[in-house]
Amino acid sequence: VILRGEAYPVGQKCSQCPYVWNPLHIVCARFPVSLVVMDPQGDPGTHEWMVVESVCQPRYVALHNINLPSHAGWIRERLLEKGWVEIARGGHDA
C-alpha cells in the first residue's frame, strides 16, 4: 500500500494535543508494513513517526534528508539508540 497525503491531521499536531485517530494508524493496524519511507518537509514528522513506531512497526525504514534541520535526522538517531542497524547511506545530486 502506498499512501500520499496527510497521514496525521494537521490541526492536531502539537505537544499538548491529545492523540487523534488518523489515517496512518488505520492503515497500519489493518495491513502489515515491511518498509516505511520518511521524507518530512519542514516538519520533523514527530507525530507520524510515533504512529509508525508504535502501530506500523516496520522491518525496514528509509529516511531522506537526514542532514537537514527539521527533517528525519532525529529518527535515524532514535533508531540507532534502539539498536537498529544502518545498512546503507549515501546522497544524490539535486
Side-chain angles (χ1 to χ4, degrees), residues 1-7 23-28 31 37:
V1 175
I2 297 175
L3 301 176
R4 184 169 186 252
E6 292 298 326
L24 183 57
H25 186 132
I26 293 167
V27 169
C28 285
F31 302 101
V37 178

Side-chain angles (χ1 to χ4, degrees), residues 19-61:
Y19 183 80
V20 294
W21 198 246
N22 56 79
L24 183 57
H25 186 132
I26 293 167
V27 169
C28 285
R30 176 68 176 94
F31 302 101
V33 177
S34 296
L35 169 68
V36 168
V37 178
M38 294 288 292
D39 185 14
Q41 302 288 318
D43 172 342
T46 308
H47 291 83
E48 292 85 351
W49 178 254
M50 293 305 147
V51 176
V52 167
E53 188 175 288
S54 64
V55 182
C56 303
Q57 300 178 355
R59 183 170 180 183
Y60 302 100
V61 176

Side-chain angles (χ1 to χ4, degrees), residues 70-87:
S70 296
H71 283 71
W74 72 273
I75 298 171
R76 176 186 177 270
E77 297 306 316
R78 181 177 175 90
L79 291 172
L80 291 174
E81 288 174 7
K82 289 180 166 254
W84 283 61
V85 176
E86 187 174 58
I87 59 172

